[in-house]
Each structure stands twice: as structure tokens, then as C-alpha cells.
Amino acid sequence: MSAVIENHHDEHDHGPAKGITRWLYTTNHKDIGTLYLWFSFAMFLIGGAMAMVIRAELFQPGMQIVEPEFYNQMITLHGLIMIFGGVMPAFVGLANWLVPMMIGAPDMALPRMNNLSFWILPFAFFILLSSLFMEGGAPNFGWTFYAPLSTTYAPPSVTFFIFSVHIMGASSIMGAINVVVTIMNMRAPGVTLMKMPLFVWSWLITAYLLIAVMPVLAGAVTMMLMDIHFGTSFFNAAGGGDPVLFQHIFWFFGHPEVYIMILPAFGIVSHIIETFSRKQLFGYSSMVWAMLSIAILSFVVWAHHMFTVGLPLAAEIFFMWATMLIAVPTGVKVFNWVATMFRGSLTFETPMLFAVAFVVLFTIGGLSGLMLAIVPADFQYHDTYFVVAHFHYVLVPGAIFSIMAAVYYWIPKWSGNMYDERLGKLHFWLSFVGVNVTFFPQHFIGLAGMPRRYPDYALIFADWNMVSSVGAFLFGFSQLLFLFIVIKTVMGGKKATDQVWEGAKGLEWTVASPAPYHTFSTPPKID
Amino acid sequence: MSGGSYYVPDQSRFPIFMALSLFLLVMGASSTINNLDDPASNSVYILYFGFACLFLTMFFWFRQVIKEHLAGLDSNQLKQSYVYGMAWFIFSEVMFFAAFFGALFYVRALAVPWLAGEGSKGAAITAIELWPAFESSWPVMTTPDQGNEFDLAKKSMAWPGWSKALQWLPMWNTIVLLSSSWTVHLAHLGLKKGNRRKFNVYLGITVFLALIFVGLQALEYYEAYAHYGLKLNSGIYGSTFFMLTGFHGFHVMMGGFMLAIMLARSVFAGHFEQHDHFGFEAASWYWHFVDVVWLMLFIFVYIL
Ligand code: HEM
Ligand SMILES: [Cu+2]
């Protein structure tokens, strides 16, 4: 290890190291981005398999396939894996690949810590998944792990869950610090704040949210740990605490967390719509201000998840209006996307298809969110499938579609090869139909009163549940096609040009495809 | 740097070793905690092993960073990245404490009064029927339910009044910690003037004060357990008291340890230059942060 200093000077002109150590020891933002993206894909498939189990059980009323106890473990792990293992690492992977290239930096600001942030994740999820095989089974209290379900009544594996969340959180915080520092400190001369690509802006704000709320989550699980094993009473009314306190702390983390999962998507979609409209993006600075105000507001709306716990009336009203206020900047963004497309020379390659679907379907999710924000209405909707429909609309055709769009959009830059456009379009249409068939009916059964998180249901809900399950299988299995397309593209295909897309703007399109292992060794010129 | 002005480090084994150590550490911690009642369990050795690995990895990692720095490999840009990185790390720590302070404010202002039936919400919940005798106060010395999982305390850590102020440990702790923030600042001034003796002496005093603080805090915990009957399981007052002061004390130990390392580096290796000493500065920022947290604790946990 001491030899490192001596041969430091000539080392970094070389390409990647050979063999497995390239991936284990790497400090290269592109390698680490790739690791993050593949990890996230693997988690997406595992979490997806769990969703298949859930939908198979719900295909018909009555108990068919799994025990109720196992069903609870499935919904819990599905949520945790998709959020912390699927969506978040995918966005960090995209940030790794794109942020340095977009701002003309050679790499992330703290490259070794970058590697650490990634490699914590496989261990954390190994722990989480291994809890399936522990005595008493995996965590079974839902991804929101409300006390006392997750304390007094939790299986012993909850301790492993707590520590796994701790190290996941450490990974996120380090990843976020890296992104913030990179953006603040590594921009090439001339890349002023208001000239930064929107994806970079979206990640700057996301990273700030992450650094602010991941430690709060760590606090919440620490209090759980103490309550379970060391006799404290944070969430125990008998000792003077309050289970509702758990919900406050959790959602103080949880609501900004949902914006952590959507802000980078906003950035991605803005780029893609701009490119395929062959126009200047409409309202760049209003996009930035909208994201900033969403981020700030997201700290004062958390109790909209708790309208039915018996908050004081003034709190219900405050959180209702604050929540509705967020719809304003969100509306600004949707307006700007539509205005960008208006009178553009549109073409609909796969990334654009996903991006347009994002705008439409995310808006549906935003509208159902607005309905949920109305306190008296939420008394009816809360903990029904309507909520499930809402957050799946913002997360699947929202966050996940944006990730897929990003992969199609930038994979020519990453791999040097074009993906197969016909297969890409097929993947899009299967996913688009699958997602809507799965989640749209959940609005109906939710409004009709079907509660979430039960393995069985009343007969009146049978038809739409069956439809929903069929859609889920369609969506689930279409993702194997996505896997195939990605592998095929990485292996070979039509060579991509440097600019790749006719209308593409930005520094990353000025370098070769595939992007060289070290992109910029001197700051690029920006005008 | 061949080619350009940008810094690109080589491959490194430290990160993955650190990830592996963290894995061992948390596996060990989880299984130790789950087997607390089982004297035959060996899990604690995994915990120790993980901790040792973590410690060693960090030692060699930091050594490497310092070596690179001394060899002049760090660009100004990289140095600036460390500055920003440390600042954001401290912000994340602030938010960690915010969660516990938030819990404290919530139970003091809302949960405990409601449990005693105060306010419109208090009247609406079942607490008054379940625990009609419970009355709201802070520090709350009893628990709504008098079940035997709680050890009720006889006495709290709150402000004892001016007459007893001098026998009151938190007062001394405050004095010790505030002066240590001052001495670390003096050390910094000394360094900036190129006065190494002043730097070493004041930094030494700071580390010494840190040790005193930890000692006094240990004494306070001993008193709490042995004489006041105040324990982790004395209900919500004990919970908030021990968790807030405990995490703070843990951070004092970390900060003190960092400062001790900086002292050793200065005394034994002559590290730190007049205009180039961010390692020390980072540790001193951390120290000031720990100090501010203590002030908040002093006000909201002890006095008010
Ligand atoms: C206009 C914007 C939005 C509004 C007004 C809104 C409103 C709400 C409300 C009121 C709830 C609570 C419903 C209940 O439990 O009764 C909720 C739940 C949820 N929302 Fe949204 N939301 C919005 C956007 C988003 C976005 C962008 C995401 C994520 C990307 C998201 C993710 C979630 C999730 C995950 C839940 C359910 C959490 C759970 O209980 O498991 N929402 N939303
Ligand atoms: Cu929310």
C-alpha cells in the first residue's frame, strides 16, 4: 500500500484495472455508477419477485399461496427493498455517472468514500434479506415500521433490521455528502449555478434532503432499539412516551424521503423532454425554484400521513394546507414540461416515451395525492388501496419510469452502443399497459374501502384484484425484457455517435461514446 | 499530476475493508443484543472483531490520507472538498441530535400532558380511564402505568436551586466544556501565529478537559443509578435524559479522541503548518459542535 504514493503520477492515465479488483477497489465514478445501477437492478428484481408473491396471493379472495405471517414479511421487505435498494441506489448510480460529466469534473470529489458508500449496500441488504431465515421470520411490520408493531410485537430479527437501516443510512449520507461537495466544489470554470444542468440541480437539492433526514431515521431506529432491548419508553405510553411520536419522527424523515425519490426524476425528465422536443427547455429558472420550494415545503407536511391518529384540529388544518401548497410548484413543473413540448419537433424514441408517460402518470399520482391531502376525505381513504394506488403511481411510472428513461437515454454514452429501438419500444408499451392495469383499479377498490396490507379481502373486491394481479404479472415479466435489452446493448450493437441524440445538449454529449474512463483531466471550456 | 490539474486517486482497498468491518460490527452488535440473556453466546466476539477491524482500517486509511497530503499530492481543490465534506458531516450530526431533541420537546409539551388528561385531546383519549392517577409534570418522576417493568426514580437531574448550584455536576460539566471550547480556540490562534508551543499546550489542556468531562459524566451516571434510582427504564424522563446525554457523551469521546490524535501528530510528528492544518481544524469544528449541543442539553434537559 505504501507503493501507492511513488507511482501515483503515471497511474491515472491508464484504463481500468483488470479482473475483479477493478470493482472492489475502484475509485472511478463511472465504475461506481455502474455498480450502483446493477445493484439496484438486482434489488429491483428481488423486490419485484416479492411483489409477484403478493399479487399472486391477492389474485383471488381467500388464502391460497402463503401464510398470513409470510405475507406480512413480503409486503415489508418489498417496500424496504424497492425504496432503499431499488430507487435510491439507482439515482445515486445515475448521479455518479452523470454529475461529474455534466459539470466538467474529473470524478467525484471524494472518490474513496464513494466506493465505501456503494460497498456498504450489498452488506446491508444481505443482512436484511438474511432475516427471512431467522427464527421468527423477517420484519413483518410494513415498510413504515410503526411502533409498537415494530417494538413490542416485533420478531427478534428486528434488531438486525435496525442495524441494517443504520448502515444503509450511513451509505446514503456519505453518498449525498459526496454529491453536494462535488457540485459545490468541482464545477468547471464557467458552470455557474444557474447554468447547471437540471439533473445536477435536482441532485444538489436531493442530497441536501438526504443529509437532513437520514440521521433522523437513524434516530428513530435507535429509539426503537432502546425501547425493545434497554427499557426506555419513547414509544410506550405506559412509561410516559407515545407511539404517535414514532410516526412523527418517521414521517419527518419519510415525507422528504418521497421527494428524494422524485426530485432526480424531475431532473432526468427535463433533460429528455428538452432533447426530443428539439427546443430550449421552457422555464429553466422556474424549474430550479420549483424544486427548491418543494424541498423546503417537504419538511412541513409530514403529518399528512397521520391525519387519522387524532392530531389536534389546528395541526390537521395546518398540514392539509401545507400539503396542498406543494401542488403549486409541482404544477409549475408539469406546466413547463408541457410548454417545452408545445410546438416542438417531437420524436418518440424510447426515452421520450417513458418521459411523456412520466408526465401524464405522475400527474395522476399527484392528483390522487391532492385528494388524500383533504383531511375529511383522508379519513375515508387512509390505509386503503387508494393510498397504495397513489404512491405506486408516483413511484412506478414516476420514479422508476424516469430511471428506465435515463438508462435508455444515456446507455449509448455509457456503453458506446445503441440499444435496440424496437425492443425498447416494446418494453415501454408492455410496462405502460402493465403499470396502468395494475394500479388504476386499485383506486376503485380503495375508494370502495379495501384496506391495505391484508392477505385476504371481501368478495366484492375480487374482480378488480384479479385485473390488478394480471397487470402486475405483465409488468413484472416485462422487466426481464429490460434486463435482456440492457445486456444486449452492453455486449454490442450499432455504434453510438458522440452526440447520440440530435437535440442533445450538455457536456456529457461532447465527449466520446463510450465516455473515456477518465473524462476530463483538465477543466473543459464552457461558454 | 500528469495531464492536468485535477486530482484522481488510485484504486484503494480501504473502502471495501471498511464496509466489511461495518458488516461484522453490526452483525456482532445485533446478535449480541439479541442474546443478552444467553451467557453462552459468543456473538460479542464478532462485535469486538468488527470493531477492531474498523479501527485498524480507519487508522491505515487516515495514515494514507496524511501521507499523501505531506507528499504534496493534494490539490487546493481537494483540500476544499475536505472542508465542505466535514461541514456537511457536522450538519448530519446536528440532524441526528435534532431527532432526540424533537422527541424531548414532543413528550414534554404534548405527550405527557395528554396522558394526564390535559387539553382537548387529553380528554378524548383513554389515558384518563386507564391511568387516572397520573399527573403531568417535568421532570416526570412517575410513569402512567406503575407496572414493574419500570424502576421509578427518587430524584431527577434538574436544577437544584442556587444554594446547591456548586455541588451540581452539570454546572461543572458546563464550565469544563465551555472552557475547552475556548482553549481549543486558543490553540488554533497559536497555530495560526506559528507558535507551536502554544498550540501544543492549549490543545493538551483541551484534551485534558475532555477527559474530565467524560469522568464527571460517568460520575453523574453512577450517582443517577446508585443514589437517585434514575435509570434507562425509569419512564420517559430517564429515557430522554440518558439518550440525549449519552449520545452527547459519546460524541465528546469521539471529539476528544480526534483532538488527542491531532495533539499526538503535532507533538510527535510535527504535523500542521501555519496555513495548512485542516485536520486539526476539522476536529476543532467538531469540538465546537459538541459544545453547542451541550449548551442545548444544559438548557433543555437540566435547567428548564
Ligand atoms: C402533489 C403531491 C403529493 C401529495 C399532495 C401527496 C399526498 C399524500 C398523502 C396525503 C398521503 C397519505 C395518505 C394516507 O396515508 O392516508 C400520501 C401517501 C404517500 N405518498 Fe404522496 N403525495 C404527493 C406526492 C408524492 C410523491 C411525489 C411521492 C413519491 C415519489 C409520494 C409518495 C407517497 C407514499 C410512498 C405514500 C404512502 C406511504 C405509506 O403510508 O406507506 N407522494 N401522499
Ligand atoms: Cu408525504
Side-chain angles (χ1 to χ4, degrees), chain A residues 297 301 307 315-326 373 375:
Chain A
L297 282 173
V301 298
F307 284 149
E316 305 258 69
I317 293 172
F318 170 80
F319 284 106
M320 170 164 90
W321 286 111
T323 303
M324 291 190 171
L325 213 55
I326 293 204
V375 174

Side-chain angles (χ1 to χ4, degrees), chain A residues 1-2 4-5 7-13 16-17 21-27 103-113 115-116 119-120 123-124 126-127 130 134 156-161 163-164 166-167 170 173-174 177 180-181 184-189 207-208 211-213 215-220 222-223 225-227 229-242 244-245 248-249 252 299 309-312 517-518 520-524, chain B residues 1-23 25-36 60-61 63-65 67-69 71 73-74 76-86 88-104 106-107 110-112 114-115 120-121 125 131 134 140 142-147 149-150 225 232-244 247:
Chain A
M1 263 169 251
S2 54
V4 174
I5 289 184
N7 52 29
H8 196 276
H9 286 265
D10 41 346
E11 192 77 78
H12 57 80
D13 290 328
T21 60
R22 164 176 179 187
W23 303 105
L24 297 181
Y25 303 154
T26 184
T27 51
I103 61 174
D107 205 298
M108 298 292 279
L110 303 162
R112 284 178 284 214
M113 189 172 84
N115 177 307
L116 173 61
W119 277 107
I120 288 176
F123 291 116
F126 173 81
I127 299 177
S130 69
M134 288 176 193
S157 62
V158 67
T159 316
F160 290 86
F161 158 81
F163 279 99
S164 139
H166 266 307
I167 60 175
I173 292 171
M174 285 189 282
I177 289 180
V180 175
V181 177
M184 286 169 70
N185 195 33
M186 307 285 282
R187 276 173 285 132
Y208 160 72
I211 303 173
V213 300
V216 175
L217 178 68
T222 308
M223 291 179 211
L225 182 78
M226 297 307 289
D227 271 14
H229 293 289
F230 301 101
T232 56
S233 309
F234 286 105
F235 309 134
N236 180 4
D242 188 351
V244 174
L245 171 62
H248 280 294
I249 302 177
F252 185 84
F299 284 106
V309 301
L311 299 175
Y517 196 58
H518 295 295
F520 302 105
S521 51
T522 46
Chain B
M1 314 263 102
S2 60
S5 56
Y6 275 143
Y7 161 80
V8 183
D10 304 320
Q11 287 201 326
S12 170
R13 302 162 194 245
F14 298 128
I16 192 145
F17 277 118
M18 185 139 160
L20 189 66
S21 321
L22 277 174
F23 170 67
L25 184 78
V26 297
M27 281 304 264
S30 314
S31 33
T32 306
I33 290 175
N34 268 6
N35 293 313
L36 280 176
F60 285 108
W61 190 339
R63 195 180 70 153
Q64 171 82 12
V65 171
K67 270 191 186 172
E68 288 170 7
H69 182 86
L73 291 172
D74 295 0
N76 284 334
Q77 191 171 41
L78 181 67
K79 289 180 193 162
Q80 189 59 31
S81 292
Y82 287 142
V83 175
Y84 283 130
M86 187 68 194
W88 284 96
F89 170 65
I90 291 180
F91 174 59
S92 80
E93 292 271 49
V94 169
M95 292 308 292
F96 182 76
F97 276 99
F100 286 88
F101 276 107
L104 174 71
Y106 180 83
V107 292
L110 300 172
V112 170
W114 286 342
L115 280 171
S120 64
K121 203 192 147 200
I125 58 178
W131 303 303
F134 181 66
V140 50
T142 122
T143 50
D145 192 290
Q146 309 276 326
E149 78 252 46
F150 302 113
Y225 264 75
L232 267 175
N233 65 349
S234 303
I236 192 65
Y237 174 68
S239 312
T240 52
F241 172 77
F242 282 110
M243 290 310 285
L244 275 159
F247 269 115

Side-chain angles (χ1 to χ4, degrees), chain A residues 255 258 304-305:
Chain A
H255 188 82
V258 307
H304 64 217
H305 297 271

Side-chain angles (χ1 to χ4, degrees), chain A residues 348-387:
Chain A
F348 293 94
E349 282 83 359
T350 312
M352 183 63 164
L353 287 173
F354 274 106
V356 174
F358 172 97
V359 175
V360 176
L361 300 182
F362 172 78
T363 305
I364 294 181
L367 291 175
S368 58
L370 218 48
M371 290 170 69
L372 290 166
I374 305 168
V375 174
D378 187 62
F379 281 15
Q380 166 79 14
Y381 306 152
H382 179 64
D383 264 353
T384 68
Y385 260 81
F386 192 76
V387 178

Side-chain angles (χ1 to χ4, degrees), chain A residues 38-48 81-82 85-86 89 122 125-126 129:
Chain A
W38 277 114
F39 175 80
S40 137
F41 208 148
M43 287 298 131
F44 184 45
L45 294 178
I46 295 176
I81 287 177
M82 287 306 202
F125 282 88
F126 173 81
L129 284 170

Side-chain angles (χ1 to χ4, degrees), chain A residues 124-165:
Chain A
F125 282 88
F126 173 81
I127 299 177
L128 190 61
L129 284 170
S130 69
S131 65
L132 273 170
F133 306 99
M134 288 176 193
E135 205 185 310
N140 56 4
F141 29 67
W143 84 274
T144 50
F145 49 103
Y146 281 7
L149 259 189
S150 62
T151 52
T152 316
Y153 304 104
S157 62
V158 67
T159 316
F160 290 86
F161 158 81
I162 287 171
F163 279 99
S164 139
V165 169

